[in-house]
Amino acid sequence: MAVDYTVIVLYLAGMLAMGWWGMRRARSKSDFLVAGRRLGPVMYSGTMAAIVLGGASTIGGVGLGYQYGLSGAWMVFTIGLGLLALSVFFSARIARLKVYTVSEMLDLRYGGRAGVISGVVMWAYTLMLAVTSTIAYATIFDVLFDMNRTVAIILGGSIVVAYSTLGGMWSITLTDMVQFVVKTIGVLLLLLPVAVVKAGGFGEMRAKLPTTYFDPLGIGGETIFTYVLIYTFGMLIGQDIWQRVFTARGDRTAKWGGTVAGTYCLVYALAGAVIGTAAKVLYPKLGSPDDAFATVVKDELPVGVRGLVLAAALAAVMSTSSGALIACATVANNDIWSRLRGRAGSGGREHDEVRGNRVFILVMGLGVIGTAIALNDVVEALTVAYNLLVGGLLVPILGGLLWKRGTVQGALAAVTVGGLAVIGLMAGYGILANEPVYYGLLSSLVAYVAVSLATKPTDAAVLANWRERLAGRGGPELVSEPVPAHQ
């Protein structure tokens, strides 16, 4: 394993070096939080794909393929569909707003007062997303070094916290681009063909497995519907995803770069399911489906290649973890702490803004590592986060973008009623049940429409300012993407 260890150590050292490099570019709040809103199509596509395809999409996606066959692709597939929907229908408008957080968008659209409560919900979601990503280090480092769970979490989490704190979004963008390349080579170009060949090809796989493994809907219609509600809609409204949209150089970059990233996710989803299906042929009696990825890597790949593929798994976890961490810190600082102190907005010197956000990333990162060490049930924690996100924030966010009659009272009612409904239903039905997100989302929609219609319409001046920002004609840091001469 010496060669494999060398590959991993060089990879981790490279991540820290990227963090140091990114620190030299993070000289303003815009640089630190949204990479100066300067990413072009190639870097934007790569980093967007990296943030949405984490450990759950890689290790979990292969595990679902092991358990259900090709229909195990649906979880990651719905993530790709959500990214495509966001990119095609909403990303250009979101990028033109020139804000830093989802809560700032809500305040801009509804005229204030929606930020703190929505910020708390978004903070809880991003915190749990960062925690669950950090826990995944334990699995990977256990395979690599037979390392104690707590030590693995501290090691992996500390590296992510270090490069994220140093350079903010610039460091994360640079590391994510490397991680995207490593994932593409490790999973798509190496592990996928090796797993299929070792399993005897698709003909042998069909001969040895039940026909349900090749049924596109074998995982079940209700499960697919739940994935769409949680992951597709979650992609539309998550701070971690929106913060990447804010990094785009302009409208076309946000739209077409995101479309490329979404399409890549669909390919990645199918690849993970195929690898898992091949693993079922090779190892029909694994103790847990989530062991499929590590088992195939350890037993079927040659020295050196094995290290690269394990680095790909590490890259998948790190990209999601760092993206969730900076999103969590941004929301905590800009939407909660600054508002509670009465300093909403971007007042103060840029140097102080960078230092303040850097401190918040460090504090949130230490909190994430501590929570990850204490937490046992990852699935339940992530389910709570996504249920609160979708049940509480989907309706007021999409309502604000699509329905001009929506009011701040309606938005607050939707967040409150939807969030409380989700919590109450999880207590009644169980955290992993489907009903909480179904009925929570429905109650949020009813509250939003009913209260908005029963209250005074949003002030005309607020809506006029909102339309100006959507058109890209107002707000700070306006950066226009150059139009090619032939257009």
Side-chain angles (χ1 to χ4, degrees), residues 344-358:
S346 57
R349 294 178 298 171
E350 286 293 312
H351 176 73
D352 293 334
E353 292 282 1
V354 172
R355 184 174 61 186
N357 282 292
R358 186 171 279 139

Side-chain angles (χ1 to χ4, degrees), residues 400-467:
L401 289 169
L402 300 173
W403 190 41
K404 66 179 182 180
R405 185 61 181 83
T407 66
V408 65
Q409 293 88 351
L412 290 171
V415 175
T416 304
V417 172
L420 291 176
V422 164
I423 293 171
L425 290 165
M426 283 192 295
Y429 284 98
I431 289 176
L432 299 180
N434 293 329
E435 287 82 0
V437 72
Y438 294 168
Y439 298 128
L441 189 57
L442 180 61
S443 63
S444 178
L445 177 61
V446 171
Y448 180 71
V449 173
V451 175
S452 291
L453 292 176
T455 53
K456 184 180 178 181
T458 303
D459 186 83
V462 171
L463 288 177
N465 181 54
W466 167 253
R467 287 191 293 270

Side-chain angles (χ1 to χ4, degrees), residues 22-217:
M23 183 176 68
R24 299 170 59 189
R25 307 191 66 169
R27 298 175 180 174
S28 69
K29 179 180 178 180
S30 176
D31 287 333
F32 194 81
L33 295 183
V34 290
R37 307 188 196 274
R38 295 200 300 269
L39 297 193
V42 174
M43 188 166 283
Y44 178 85
S45 298
T47 57
M48 182 62 89
I51 178 68
V52 300
L53 295 173
S57 300
T58 304
I59 298 170
V62 171
L64 286 171
Y66 183 89
Q67 189 172 2
Y68 298 105
L70 298 186
S71 66
W74 272 106
M75 184 188 77
V76 184
F77 202 83
T78 55
I79 290 173
L81 291 178
L83 186 52
L84 284 171
L86 175 70
S87 301
V88 172
F89 298 113
F90 300 108
S91 63
R93 284 186 283 176
I94 292 171
R96 285 196 293 265
L97 291 173
K98 304 298 180 188
V99 295
Y100 290 103
T101 68
V102 174
S103 295
E104 286 181 28
M105 168 264 168
L106 291 173
D107 277 354
L108 186 65
R109 164 60 180 84
Y110 294 112
R113 294 180 294 166
V116 174
I117 186 171
S118 63
V120 170
V121 174
M122 190 64 75
W123 175 79
Y125 157 72
T126 53
L127 178 70
M128 284 297 101
L129 186 61
V131 166
T132 53
S133 299
T134 302
I135 290 173
Y137 296 128
T139 301
I140 297 171
F141 282 116
D142 179 55
V143 173
L144 285 171
F145 308 117
D146 193 24
M147 188 178 289
N148 174 270
R149 177 182 184 274
T150 299
V151 175
I153 289 172
I154 292 173
L155 175 61
S158 296
I159 292 171
V160 170
V161 171
Y163 73 68
S164 300
T165 302
L166 284 172
M169 187 59 84
W170 266 122
S171 293
I172 292 170
T173 296
L174 294 170
T175 54
D176 276 2
M177 197 63 200
V178 174
Q179 289 159 356
F180 169 74
V181 173
V182 171
K183 279 194 289 191
T184 300
I185 295 173
V187 176
L188 297 185
L189 301 185
L190 293 176
L191 185 58
L192 174 61
V194 167
V196 172
V197 169
K198 292 285 187 177
F202 287 103
E204 189 70 13
M205 290 161 64
R206 281 186 173 274
K208 289 187 175 181
L209 294 174
T211 55
T212 54
Y213 267 71
F214 302 91
D215 180 358
L217 303 178

